[in-house]
Amino acid sequence: MKGFKEFLMRGNLVELAVAVIIGSVFAKVVETFTKILTDFIGFFGGAPDFSSVNIGGVNIGNFINAVITFVITAAVVYFFVVKPYNAMRARFKKAEEEAPAEPTSEELLTEIRDLLRARNI
């Protein structure tokens, strides 16, 4: 029972649960945005639903719909999640690089030694 409790209290499990919840809500946002874009495609190019497209008696329309939805979803995720995240991460990384480096323990010990030598003169 102790191992199960440790498993439940592990930080990764909580982070994963939050990611799943946020991801499911974000999926609805992306789905709605995709619907808006397919409506625009339908407005300019005719019907946005390709489910009735057949080639040689084989219905490929649902596949075409799935590909369009995938491309739109990938674009939304890239431009609204990945790209801003990478820009923010680069900004924070640059700020960390500009911060003065902390001295190592050897450097601190050398400084203490030199100060003690100077006091004993």
Side-chain angles (χ1 to χ4, degrees):
M1 199 65 176
K2 181 182 176 188
F4 182 69
K5 181 180 176 185
E6 289 175 2
F7 170 74
L8 288 178
M9 299 309 288
R10 195 178 298 171
N12 294 346
L13 184 64
V14 173
E15 291 171 1
L16 181 60
V18 169
V20 168
I21 292 167
I22 295 292
S24 64
V25 173
F26 185 69
K28 186 67 174 172
V29 171
V30 172
E31 180 183 329
T32 305
F33 188 74
T34 302
K35 177 71 173 130
I36 291 170
L37 288 181
T38 54
D39 287 346
F40 277 122
I41 291 170
F43 180 72
F44 291 112
D49 184 20
F50 299 99
S51 60
S52 62
V53 174
N54 291 311
I55 293 182
V58 177
N59 184 332
I60 64 162
N62 290 331
F63 177 74
I64 293 171
N65 283 338
V67 168
I68 291 171
T69 300
F70 172 78
V71 170
I72 292 171
T73 303
V76 167
V77 169
Y78 178 75
F79 288 110
F80 293 108
V81 177
V82 174
K83 196 165 176 140
Y85 172 76
N86 286 340
M88 182 179 65
R89 197 170 94 195
R91 186 177 302 146
F92 284 124
K93 188 174 182 180
K94 184 178 177 185
E96 287 176 1
E97 290 173 356
E98 291 176 356
E102 295 289 324
T104 64
S105 59
E106 289 179 5
E107 292 171 338
L108 290 173
L109 288 173
T110 303
E111 186 178 340
I112 291 170
R113 181 197 65 199
D114 294 343
L115 288 171
L116 288 173
R117 278 187 186 160
R119 281 181 64 190
N120 289 336
I121 294 181

